[in-house]
Amino acid sequence: MEPDAPRDATTDGATFTQLLDWLNAHADALLDDPGNNVIGVGIGKKSAGPLDDDSPYCITGFVEKKLPQTQVSAMGVASFAAAVASASGQRQPKALGFEIDVVETGSPFVAHAGLKVPRALRGAHGGPPASLDLQKRFGLLRSGIGITNPHRAYPKTLSVGTLGFFVRDDRGRTYLVSNNHVIADENAGQPGDVVVQPGTLDLTSSELALMNTLAKLTTQTGIARLAAWVDLKFHDPHGIPFNAVDCAAAELKAPPKAPARDVTEIARAGLGGNIVGVASPYTIDPITGRVAGSTRVCKVGRTTGWTEGEVTQIAVVTDVRYGAGLARFRNQIGIAASPDNTGPFSKAGDSGSGILDRDHKLVGLLFAGSENRTLANPIQPVLDALRIALGVTTLDVVIA
């Protein structure tokens, strides 16, 4: 038997461009069609593996659960192939001219800040501390630890998310970066709101008793003040606006009587190494057809600690559920846990985590996920949007 002929790499590059054009033209029609069960769509590999494997590029559909064709037909729901064909104006899937694949998410995509619970339910949510505990109070600030904006909620409601990384502007001011829904309260935040560490969900019963008012809490645990955020835009009766990022920044400026924190090692990623830079955006080489950039990634988050994963999709278009409504995002990164993980790449409470590549360069900002998939904003749009929101000339990631 003769060996398989080598694949033409230039075809991969052409196919990726074709798929990106298709997404831009048809993704919204696919998601808005009530006749299918698709919750998101992006560009991945036919193998459903990492973007740097040797299988062909394809349009990847996200569904909560894969169903047998007989059950799909009985439910009167269009198959993904038929839904893609319909969105493309084709009668038959075989007329598409490109590969497709379906990935099961296990649940809808939701903003991973999800850990907001009534005070009476403290201890019933959030799981046990990670083996490397990022849920405690840290005297030495670093990325990957638990934080929250307690205003408008505490003490009735407890919450927590993750501190992603730090940035510094052209005037020397330093800010922590997380999600809008972690520290800006889904657009309800006010400039000057105090961000606390640890998150209120991670306080002990004794601490909650001692800090039983917002004033006492912020005086004892405040580390920063909300400075800027990018508004989340939700579905409304007049249309579906697009979101590119879910991000916010808080200046490291604690309340006057708050205990001092050490900020000499803020380039640290949790309890591990340092953030060393910002990765270039993922692109496809038009000559080789291969993805440029490390698709092996990791993150440090408040709930699951250090986890490793693979970038499996880019240019993802999907709807994400927030407390305030449904928000549509474009051009997002899809991540799955690597085989070395014992669980998912992220869970509720990990929102705001910085995503690092194998060289410890920032790739993205984690903001949402499902039972077995994670979504991240590409890092450069996050930095660009925050620079504009802060009204500064430059905004650089603090690195080692």
Side-chain angles (χ1 to χ4, degrees), residues 88-329:
S88 306
Q90 301 288 346
R91 293 186 177 181
Q92 297 295 329
K94 63 183 179 182
L96 289 172
F98 53 78
E99 299 272 12
I100 61 173
D101 189 39
V102 179
V103 169
E104 184 175 300
T105 65
S107 66
F109 287 120
V110 296
H112 257 352
L115 291 178
K116 289 189 176 182
V117 300
R119 183 190 180 102
L121 296 180
R122 180 193 168 275
H125 294 266
S131 56
L132 296 176
D133 186 5
L134 297 163
Q135 301 171 16
K136 65 176 185 177
R137 181 189 185 278
F138 278 82
L140 185 66
L141 295 182
R142 79 284 305 278
S143 64
I145 60 179
I147 60 171
T148 197
N149 179 343
H151 295 263
R152 295 162 295 280
Y154 189 80
K156 290 185 178 180
T157 300
L158 308 178
S159 58
V160 70
T162 296
L163 192 165
F165 54 93
F166 295 86
V167 292
R168 189 166 289 131
D169 68 18
D170 49 283
R171 295 177 58 185
R173 295 172 295 195
T174 303
Y175 310 83
L176 64 83
V177 175
S178 188
N179 296 135
N180 173 322
H181 72 266
V182 172
I183 62 171
D185 202 12
E186 296 184 14
N187 305 341
Q190 296 294 315
D193 279 357
V194 178
V195 174
V196 300
Q197 195 290 313
T200 52
L201 188 59
D202 293 335
L203 296 173
T204 66
S205 296
S206 297
E207 289 170 331
L208 289 170
L210 288 171
M211 299 180 287
N212 58 358
T213 67
L214 180 64
K216 291 179 180 179
L217 174 77
T218 56
T219 297
Q220 290 299 314
T221 63
I223 62 170
R225 292 185 178 275
L226 184 62
W229 63 92
V230 177
D231 274 343
L232 292 166
K233 293 169 283 188
F234 299 102
H235 290 219
D236 63 46
H238 306 293
I240 302 176
F242 302 126
N243 295 271
V245 294
D246 176 351
C247 60
E251 186 178 358
L252 289 186
K253 185 188 295 183
K257 296 182 180 180
R261 307 287 183 108
D262 190 332
V263 296
T264 59
E265 297 187 25
I266 56 176
R268 288 180 64 182
L271 300 166
N274 294 318
I275 298 173
V276 300
V278 175
S280 298
Y282 289 113
T283 56
I284 304 302
D285 190 304
I287 303 300
T288 65
R290 300 190 70 86
V291 64
S294 165
T295 61
R296 183 79 165 183
V297 294
C298 61
K299 76 100 186 67
V300 185
R302 171 266 174 201
T303 301
T304 56
W306 184 281
T307 56
E308 295 183 351
E310 301 278 1
V311 173
T312 51
Q313 288 85 29
I314 55 176
V316 174
V317 183
T318 189
D319 289 328
V320 175
R321 173 63 62 183
Y322 288 83
L326 202 60
R328 180 159 298 176
F329 283 81

Side-chain angles (χ1 to χ4, degrees), residues 44-63:
K45 286 299 188 92
K46 183 64 176 175
S47 66
L51 282 180
D52 60 357
D53 77 11
D54 289 328
S55 64
Y57 290 107
C58 69
I59 290 292
T60 300
F62 296 98
V63 297

